Amino acid sequence: MKILVLGEHAHGKVKDSTLATLGAAAKLGGDTDLLLIGSEAQGAADDAKSIGGVAKVLVAADAGLDHELAESVAPLLHRLMEGYDVLLASSTTTGRNIAPRVAALLDVAQVSDIIAVEGPDTFQRPIYAGNAIATVRSKDAKKVITVRGTAFTKAERGAGSAAVETVDAGVSNGVTSFVSAEASESERPELTSAKIIVSGGRALGSSEQFHALIDPLADKLGAAVGASRAAVDAGYAPNDYQVGQTGKIVAPELYVAVGISGAIQHLAGMKDSKVIVAINKDEEAPIFQIADVGLVGDLFKLVPELTEKL
Amino acid sequence: MKVLVAVKRVIDYNVKPRVKMDGTGVDLANVKMSMNPFDEIAVEEAIRLKEKAGATEIVVVSVGPQKAQETIRTALAMGADRGILVQTDDEVEPLAVAKILAKIVEEEQPQVVLLGKQAIDDDSSQVGQMLGALTGYGQGTFASKVEINGDSAHVTREVDGGLETVAIKLPAIVTTDLRLNDPRYPSLPNIMKAKSKPLSTKAPADYGVDTAPRLETLKVAEPAKRQGGAKVGSVDELVAKLKSLGVVA
């Protein structure tokens, strides 16, 4: 079996989400090549070639592939897939944008967001916001799969020595162009790869209180900051903080839910965390049904106290 | 400018799904069904394009059972003009839905196709992108803002780490994210009016699309149950507990 992994990179480094996707490739078994795209791909190839389990690093260093527009990347993947049996992409917004476009070009079904590999064509994936786990078998000759990063062990750097090869990008995209990007600034760890996450909900009441309470606790723990959909919709936190079915799926060692009731859509994004702590004034809140440690009380008193005592 | 909107009838998002004892799927008998929440946002955006940007007609499509008519009627009551139900009792995978939609796009020639970013039942998030591949149109996925300027659409997308804006030449495909808008509720008079709006019924075979599944579902199981732990009485106890669990130093 020949596997192609669509790599994502930034600042000369392969992203953690891609390392996890390579972990899924290792479970599948077979020769795995990693594709890096964009004008900075050559720089990231130095990092990529030392990653364990990578047979070859393919570099398509064309500026036309910057910003990873699906209309530019999908035809390239479609062409490269002539030589591969499986395409793996991460379940990031990039992977989820590009992979289905490739699947349709190949006329195959896509298996989205797998959490386990049961065999060369059999996978587990969550459906209904994680309330059910489906085991599916793909009957297509070629497979296109996106991988939930938090479900797989990351491939290790320094465990490999892959050859680097350039491939022709052949970009022709007459329909879309990049206009601008607005990054939300954060010096904290990235949400999906953080070991500890402190997440705030609607009970915080305002953006000021969200930052006044959640940020110091997160800084004390070296944690990333997350938020429930209610907190994001109320404008207390930016969109990309959102943890849940419609936001990010996380599975840190420790998840601290502050003022979050625990709606299904939120639980779908964090219930695989190792230890869950909930602080909420409503002792009937559903979050307490899954929390390992619960503390009932006024978060405006408890959170500063917790920050101080840690 | 014509706008095509795809809607799906799914389990209501407030209902906790129950896995069938025999492991064949989720029990949908006698369960409340509604329009997929992301599709409501797509319908709302289509109506706003009509109100502001001069869209002339909104066509709503659904692929599903006879009862998906109700979902189309809801969209008509919100303000869409005409419905097409592609009726089938089989479960249709995203690729086949995209193929049916591609045929309808060819027939109807819309300038904008709006879909939800994912359905909350299969959580696939594929149809819009696949439709992009089949039509060759540009795709603005996970949209939180859509602006039509002449012959192109500026779509602001919610991506990991922030926002990104792309320009897409019309005709374009847009899939909606949560923050694009707040869908309106249909008023009673509009619900009554929607009953007389045209709704045609077709079959997948009318579009020459084979809906045979490419994925075989071997089993559907409940996720491993998480046992809630004890509650503690004070912050000191909480800190002690966290230390004993080894998650904080």
Side-chain angles (χ1 to χ4, degrees), chain A residues 95 192 205 265 296 301:
Chain A
T192 48
Q265 109 84 32
V296 179
K301 277 208 287 254

Side-chain angles (χ1 to χ4, degrees), chain B:
Chain B
M1 183 173 79
K2 194 192 274 187
V3 181
L4 187 77
V5 189
V7 298
K8 185 178 187 184
R9 180 177 185 264
V10 298
I11 189 168
D12 189 87
Y13 75 99
N14 283 312
V15 176
K16 184 164 166 53
R18 275 177 210 288
V19 174
K20 284 192 219 167
M21 295 296 278
D22 63 1
T24 55
V26 165
D27 193 358
L28 296 177
N30 305 314
V31 169
K32 187 184 179 205
M33 305 290 277
S34 306
M35 189 190 299
N36 179 42
F38 293 103
D39 303 348
E40 285 186 352
I41 296 170
V43 174
E44 174 67 33
E45 196 63 22
I47 298 165
R48 292 187 189 187
L49 286 177
K50 193 173 172 180
E51 289 166 349
K52 279 188 291 198
T56 47
E57 191 187 24
I58 302 169
V59 183
V60 188
V61 184
S62 191
V63 180
Q66 174 66 24
K67 284 202 162 168
Q69 267 209 21
E70 295 166 11
T71 313
I72 295 176
R73 291 284 174 210
T74 306
L76 296 176
M78 286 171 74
D81 299 296
R82 172 160 72 83
I84 302 170
L85 170 64
V86 182
Q87 196 185 324
T88 168
D89 288 325
D90 301 331
E91 212 167 290
V92 187
E93 290 175 353
L95 180 61
V97 172
K99 285 180 180 177
I100 292 170
L101 293 177
K103 292 282 185 189
I104 296 176
V105 165
E106 198 180 304
E107 263 179 32
E108 299 281 346
Q109 295 286 319
Q111 290 298 99
V112 178
V113 185
L114 283 158
L115 308 93
K117 79 163 177 180
Q118 77 190 69
I120 61 164
D121 51 0
D122 65 15
D123 286 334
S124 288
S125 192
Q126 298 173 7
V127 176
Q129 297 89 315
M130 287 181 157
L131 181 60
L134 298 174
T135 55
Y137 296 173
Q139 64 189 48
T141 50
F142 325 133
S144 62
K145 194 171 161 201
V146 179
E147 281 177 324
I148 308 286
N149 310 314
D151 62 354
S152 77
H154 273 61
V155 177
T156 302
R157 308 176 52 230
E158 289 191 16
V159 294
D160 297 333
L163 298 170
E164 175 189 282
T165 303
V166 292
I168 309 171
K169 220 170 87 182
L170 297 184
I173 292 161
V174 175
T175 76
T176 62
D177 215 322
L178 277 175
R179 275 160 288 268
L180 182 58
N181 61 47
D182 285 317
R184 68 194 66 189
Y185 291 102
S187 66
L188 189 58
N190 285 344
I191 292 171
M192 300 311 289
K193 261 188 253 166
K195 292 189 181 178
S196 55
K197 287 184 179 174
L199 197 169
S200 57
T201 304
K202 302 273 190 178
D206 296 337
Y207 300 102
V209 174
D210 174 11
T211 58
R214 308 284 191 87
L215 299 178
E216 184 186 357
T217 301
L218 303 178
K219 189 176 76 177
V220 175
E222 292 224 10
K225 277 255 181 330
R226 213 190 153 97
Q227 283 299 325
K231 285 182 186 141
V232 292
S234 70
V235 168
D236 289 321
E237 282 177 54
L238 174 58
V239 173
K241 185 85 196 237
L242 289 179
K243 284 187 176 154
S244 74
L245 287 167
V247 284
V248 295

Side-chain angles (χ1 to χ4, degrees), chain A residues 185-196:
Chain A
E185 303 204 357
S186 175
E187 310 215 320
R188 299 198 178 82
E190 204 226 340
L191 200 51
T192 48
S193 57
K195 286 208 162 61
I196 302 179

Side-chain angles (χ1 to χ4, degrees), chain A residues 89-121:
Chain A
S90 309
S91 267
T92 53
T93 47
T94 304
R96 286 161 56 210
N97 188 38
I98 295 170
R101 195 159 173 124
V102 182
L105 292 175
L106 291 165
D107 193 30
V108 302
Q110 175 182 290
V111 190
S112 291
D113 207 21
I114 62 163
I115 56 169
V117 173
E118 287 203 344
D121 54 6

